[in-house]
Amino acid sequence: MTSATATGAAGFGRTLRLAFRFSAREMRGGLSGFLIFIACIALGVAAIGGVNSLARAISTGIETQGRDLLGGDMRFQLVHREADQREMAFLHELGEVAHSANLRSMARLPDGSDQTLVEAKAVDGLYPLYGELVTEPNLPLADIFAARGGIHGAAAADMLFSRLGLEIGDTIRLGDADYELRARIVSEPDAISDGFGLAPRLLISLDALEASGLIQPGSLVEHAYKIRMPAGTSEADIQAVRERATAEFPEAGWSVRGRTGAAPSLSSNVERFSQFLTLVGLTALVVGGVGVANAVRAYLEAKRGVIATFKSLGASGRFVFLVYLVQILMVAGIGIAIGLVLAALMPPVAAGFLAAVFPVPMEGGVHWGALGFAALFGILVTLAFALLPLGRARDVPATALFREMGFDQRGLPRPVYVVAVLAIAAVLAALAVFTAGDRRIAVIFVTAAVAAFVVLRLVGVLVQWLARRAPRMRGAALRLAIGNIHRPGALTPSVVLSLGLGLTLVVTLALIDGNLRRQIAGSLPAHAPNFFFVDIQSGEVDAFADLVEAEAPDGKLVRVPMLRGRVMALNGTDVRELDVPPEGAWVLRGDRGITYARNVPENSTLSQGEWWPDGYDGEPLVSFAAQEGRELGLKLGDTVTVNVLGRNITARISSFREVQWESLAINFVMVFSPNTFAGAPHSWLATLSDPGATPAEEAQVLNAITRAFPSVTSVRVKDALDIINGIVAQLAVAIRAAAAIALVASVLVLSGALAAGNRARIHDAVVLKTLGATRRTLIKAFSLEYALIGLATAIFALIAGGIAAWFVVARIMTLPSSFLPEVALSTLLLALVLTVGFGLVGTWRVLGHKAAPVLRNL
């Protein structure tokens, strides 16, 4: 280091220490003027830190409680079939094996007067290998399942008792057997790994399931083999077993999970939802950044005399900049600290609410990584929005500060500050994108946020331009209002920017929520079938059709063969080695329903390629859903390998179909040529559509089918939609809470912007009152000004929010999208109430200001 460099560094160190001393002295006056600043930062940091803490608490809980949640160290799952002797020998080599079987079926009262869908789970005597099954009364499993008088025992969830009006000791019928309900299920340790169902749990023994007669060739039964491995088994050992299972049994078609991946679907959904809420929280923080800029500008305006004195006494611009930068960072530190405390409290508070929805495992403690992530965002946003006003303060000469009202001049500060702000903004964008699970969505968000800032700024300029060129109005109040909109130092840009972002987000989420509810409550039921029937055995399908025709002569029955298969490879490449986008990954995850057909299904249209001819007997062919094919990057002639009943079958793609998923009719991603599964045992899937059927007639059909075909699973579509609607409603609560955070941030910024303009308002009001304007005229003028600005902001929010909601609903969810008038009306009212309400609160204080002190300084 040269002597000049050392001298410069020492000089900067002395300047910085002196700046800290002056900053600390000025801060003795309290935090007046910074309360909105602190609230904005605290709100955004709390949202980001709280959401990420909650997500990490759930993820860590899933990892640390993996054995209990999975029910073993490893889990092997097969569909349609049990493991054969060779596969069982392999599993027993690994450790102690517990076998369970899951299927859906109809539980009914012994007299056949009522029935309901259940998720039946049959277990052996080793269940559970890990964790504890808690029942009420808390009986040993041997006592719950024991056969007494030829009747097996069972335990069931509260929902089953309430749906059928049952009590402990009552009997239900499942398939061809009766079961005595001997306990209520309070806690099921491996419920998450077995998946959340739309029906209540019924827990029975494997022997009891065998007695029911429900397991037939082709029945949709999931067999799970959970393994307790020797103590000291490492994750590397589990991975080695996974690779060995794939190598030794390439056509087994089983799904293999380890204890660290006990609930992959839950982990994936938590990650996606936390990303969404994090982006909403970042929106709130960025909106709050506008409040930071307003607060810094107002604070520096109040300190203009002090700054002028500093400069008159020889202080450099750099010293002035450092003094107030240190103060701003101190205040931001207070806001960040408050936000981090709130964020740390969010997981335990949210745990209570989530426990009522579904059993989510959580790991307690403070998640420092999530809090540090939020704190970093808070600091970066503070600097991004504070540097420009601080840079302007540095370069304003002392004479201008003494002579003028302030230093809110046009133009930009020195290039170094502009470059610094752009660099910080780039870092913020990079953090938002590269820490996101779905970077495509994060890029869309960042792009939309930048575009929103630019467009809102242009909207503010446009409103001022229109006000400047508006014709002369007769009313004095209206003329004053229009003049205030475009005068120098007007509130228009700040109000439009602060309120516009929050309102746009609220409109977007409200329209998405409204369209989903409209689909579930209106459009979907109008086009959906009345019933789905699953597990119709091949030997019963004709008799089943005859019964349906007799019970519902006006109904339309559609039946198709159905198997379950797992996609193993695309074009010969193992799907585990493929990097596919999230929107298409679901096709490759888990088992898929597949079928074969002679003709193109009636609810889909051929978009590319050719259908196989009648009587085709060549190589296996498959028709793939067009949208899913595009997402997976497939084209005509590519090959798809699926595992069905323990056998790998490779078929060539001969066509793509546009599928109307929203119709809720029978749809499959993959439809194979009939020769592909010749001779394979399978069941049938059917739908019954009868738009004119009354609830009583539907109940009669359901009762008749359940009595005649106890092994057939019947799903009433309306009941399923009601459950889905409830889930959507629960998600909507979280989404609305997130939107409310952004809106609260907007309101804080709005109030700060209005407060920052009070100084100029006091000057204008005193002059106008001196010239003869009445209080009523001024209130009317200010009200009209705020109403016009609020109206312009609401119109922008409706347009921008409508476009964003349409993109999500129509392009991402592929559902019909419509604009909802009630959302438009509520947005307009909300904008007017906020702008006029907050504006009048500040105006009332302005109008009460004494004239003498202001007139003396003119």
Side-chain angles (χ1 to χ4, degrees):
M1 181 183 294
T2 64
S3 58
T5 304
T7 302
F12 178 76
R14 287 193 298 270
T15 302
L16 187 59
R17 288 194 296 273
L18 187 60
F20 266 101
R21 286 176 54 194
F22 276 94
S23 297
R25 289 179 181 177
E26 286 209 46
M27 293 298 292
R28 293 174 186 172
L31 298 174
S32 177
F34 282 117
L35 296 181
I36 291 176
F37 180 125
I38 293 172
C40 289
I41 294 296
L43 189 66
V45 169
I48 295 174
V51 167
N52 281 278
S53 292
L54 180 60
R56 296 193 185 191
I58 295 174
S59 299
T60 305
I62 291 174
E63 291 178 5
T64 57
Q65 302 174 43
R67 284 190 180 94
D68 294 350
L69 299 176
L70 189 66
D73 292 292
M74 294 193 74
R75 179 181 189 271
F76 291 75
Q77 178 180 302
L78 292 167
V79 180
H80 288 309
R81 69 180 185 93
E82 297 185 50
D84 60 29
Q85 289 186 346
R86 181 166 168 259
E87 291 166 343
M88 285 302 300
F90 170 76
L91 297 177
H92 280 292
E93 285 181 17
L94 304 178
E96 197 172 17
V97 182
H99 176 204
S100 63
N102 291 10
L103 78 161
R104 294 183 180 89
S105 189
M106 302 299 293
R108 59 196 189 281
L109 298 179
D111 61 4
S113 59
D114 200 3
Q115 61 279 311
T116 187
L117 182 68
V118 296
E119 298 271 352
K121 178 176 178 178
V123 299
D124 62 11
L126 294 176
Y127 178 83
L129 290 178
Y130 292 101
E132 180 184 4
L133 174 70
V134 181
T135 61
E136 178 60 42
N138 200 7
L139 303 174
L141 277 181
D143 293 344
I144 294 176
F145 294 152
R148 299 171 186 167
I151 298 179
H152 291 275
D158 271 332
M159 189 185 298
L160 178 60
F161 285 92
S162 61
R163 282 187 180 180
L164 295 180
L166 300 171
E167 299 291 340
I168 297 293
D170 287 344
T171 301
I172 62 170
R173 193 163 181 79
L174 187 73
D176 298 325
D178 291 329
Y179 300 85
E180 180 185 357
L181 298 178
R182 296 176 183 160
R184 298 174 187 267
I185 299 174
V186 178
S187 175
E188 184 183 350
D190 53 351
I192 289 179
S193 65
D194 284 336
F196 300 108
L198 299 179
R201 172 74 76 203
L202 179 67
L203 193 64
I204 58 177
S205 67
L206 284 172
D207 291 337
L209 178 61
E210 188 70 26
S212 70
L214 292 175
I215 300 182
Q216 301 290 333
S219 295
L220 184 54
V221 184
E222 297 175 350
H223 292 274
Y225 300 88
K226 300 172 183 180
I227 303 171
R228 188 206 305 270
M229 304 179 79
T233 301
S234 66
E235 292 305 316
D237 295 332
I238 291 176
Q239 182 59 31
V241 169
R242 191 193 303 268
E243 294 173 358
R244 181 185 163 199
T246 302
E248 294 186 18
F249 303 92
E251 296 195 1
W254 48 25
S255 167
V256 184
R257 292 189 212 164
R259 60 200 177 199
T260 57
S265 295
L266 176 60
S267 299
S268 177
N269 290 332
V270 167
E271 181 182 348
R272 289 194 192 98
F273 201 60
S274 66
Q275 177 186 342
F276 166 74
L277 294 180
T278 297
L279 293 177
V280 173
L282 183 56
T283 302
L285 190 57
V286 172
V287 170
V290 180
V292 169
N294 290 337
V296 171
R297 187 185 63 178
Y299 180 69
L300 294 174
E301 174 68 22
K303 292 290 182 178
R304 61 191 181 89
V306 177
I307 296 173
T309 303
F310 276 150
K311 291 194 172 185
S312 298
L313 295 176
S316 65
R318 183 174 68 172
F319 176 77
V320 172
F321 174 82
L322 287 174
V323 167
Y324 290 101
L325 176 62
V326 170
Q327 289 185 51
I328 297 305
L329 291 177
M330 287 180 179
V331 175
I334 296 172
I336 291 171
I338 295 172
L340 293 180
V341 171
L342 296 175
L345 296 174
M346 189 176 291
V349 172
F353 291 99
L354 291 175
V357 181
F358 52 85
V360 177
M362 286 199 188
E363 187 72 15
V366 178
H367 299 272
W368 296 108
L371 299 184
F373 182 69
L376 177 61
F377 269 117
I379 293 171
L380 290 175
V381 167
T382 300
L383 291 174
F385 285 91
L387 286 181
L388 290 183
L390 286 172
R392 289 193 182 99
R394 167 180 179 156
D395 291 332
V396 176
T399 53
L401 287 169
F402 279 126
R403 186 172 57 244
E404 297 177 6
M405 290 289 295
F407 46 77
D408 189 21
Q409 78 281 10
R410 295 181 179 274
L412 296 172
R414 296 187 181 192
V416 63
Y417 298 110
V418 176
V419 171
V421 169
L422 293 176
I424 293 171
V427 171
L428 276 170
L431 282 174
V433 171
F434 290 105
T435 59
D438 190 337
R439 292 181 180 176
R440 184 180 68 92
I441 293 178
V443 168
I444 292 173
F445 164 81
V446 171
T447 304
V450 173
F453 265 88
V454 174
V455 173
L456 281 168
R457 185 67 181 174
L458 294 176
V459 169
V461 172
L462 177 62
V463 171
Q464 289 185 300
W465 182 85
L466 291 174
R468 193 174 294 114
R469 282 156 180 77
R472 182 177 179 83
M473 302 296 176
R474 289 187 178 182
L478 186 55
R479 287 202 305 273
L480 284 173
I482 293 175
N484 285 339
I485 289 175
H486 66 78
R487 68 178 175 80
L491 296 174
T492 307
S494 296
V495 172
V496 170
L497 184 58
S498 60
L499 192 59
L501 286 172
L503 280 180
T504 300
L505 182 61
V506 169
V507 170
T508 302
L509 297 179
L511 287 174
I512 293 172
D513 178 47
N515 274 284
L516 284 178
R517 289 178 177 275
R518 175 173 289 189
Q519 286 294 313
I520 294 171
S523 300
L524 289 182
H527 300 92
N530 300 63
F531 289 99
F532 276 89
F533 301 104
V534 186
D535 268 352
I536 307 170
Q537 297 304 308
S538 295
E540 300 176 336
V541 66
D542 292 331
F544 175 85
D546 293 338
L547 176 63
V548 171
E549 184 178 356
E551 294 292 333
D554 297 328
K556 177 184 178 182
L557 182 70
V558 177
R559 48 183 177 165
V560 297
M562 179 179 173
L563 302 94
R564 299 287 290 185
R566 174 183 294 272
V567 180
M568 305 297 290
L570 298 178
N571 293 318
T573 303
D574 192 318
V575 294
R576 291 172 298 180
E577 301 174 6
L578 296 175
D579 184 17
V580 298
E583 58 269 22
W586 67 272
V587 177
L588 309 180
R589 187 170 53 242
D591 298 292
R592 299 262 68 79
I594 57 178
T595 190
Y596 61 84
R598 291 186 177 89
N599 303 310
V600 179
E602 63 180 27
N603 58 331
S604 60
T605 56
L606 211 62
S607 61
Q608 191 178 5
E610 296 181 355
W611 199 258
W612 40 84
D614 192 30
Y616 175 78
D617 195 28
E619 68 168 327
L621 300 177
V622 62
S623 176
F624 215 90
Q627 179 179 342
E628 286 68 27
R630 287 191 295 268
E631 291 166 348
L632 294 174
L634 297 175
K635 60 185 183 300
L636 291 178
D638 286 348
T639 60
V640 179
T641 302
V642 295
N643 184 280
V644 180
L645 296 170
R647 177 187 170 198
N648 283 350
I649 297 173
T650 299
R652 190 170 302 280
I653 298 177
S654 65
S655 64
F656 288 102
R657 293 164 294 114
E658 295 293 341
V659 180
Q660 300 172 9
W661 297 106
E662 66 275 9
S663 68
L664 288 189
I666 299 178
N667 292 304
F668 293 89
V669 174
M670 293 172 284
V671 178
F672 289 82
S673 56
N675 63 311
T676 305
F677 303 112
H682 63 270
S683 60
W684 289 70
L685 170 69
T687 61
L688 174 61
S689 301
D690 189 0
T694 64
E697 290 171 338
E698 288 185 343
Q700 181 180 340
V701 171
L702 180 60
N703 191 278
I705 291 174
T706 303
R707 282 172 177 267
F709 300 97
S711 63
V712 173
T713 300
S714 306
V715 180
R716 188 166 176 254
V717 172
K718 183 181 183 304
D719 295 337
L721 289 176
D722 288 342
I723 294 173
I724 295 172
N725 198 25
I727 295 173
V728 171
Q730 291 166 350
L731 292 175
V733 171
I735 292 173
R736 287 170 183 169
I741 291 174
L743 186 60
V744 169
S746 293
V747 170
L748 288 171
V749 176
L750 173 65
S751 59
L754 294 172
N758 275 349
R759 181 183 179 88
R761 290 297 161 116
I762 292 172
H763 176 273
D764 293 346
V766 166
V767 172
L768 290 171
K769 284 179 8 182
T770 303
L771 296 176
T774 65
R775 180 185 290 262
R776 179 178 178 181
T777 301
L778 293 177
I779 290 177
K780 187 177 179 181
F782 290 144
S783 299
L784 287 171
E785 175 191 353
Y786 300 136
L788 290 171
I789 297 175
L791 183 63
T793 306
I795 291 173
F796 165 81
L798 288 173
I799 296 172
I803 293 173
W806 168 84
F807 179 81
V808 172
V809 174
R811 296 300 184 187
I812 296 179
M813 299 181 178
T814 63
L815 293 172
S817 176
S818 59
F819 192 77
L820 307 178
E822 61 271 20
V823 173
L825 181 60
S826 59
T827 303
L828 289 173
L829 291 176
L830 182 62
L832 293 177
V833 167
L834 290 176
T835 52
V836 177
F838 278 95
L840 288 182
V841 169
T843 298
W844 194 260
R845 296 175 56 193
V846 167
L847 295 179
H849 201 281
K850 294 183 179 180
V854 176
L855 294 174
R856 274 199 300 268
N857 291 326
L858 292 178

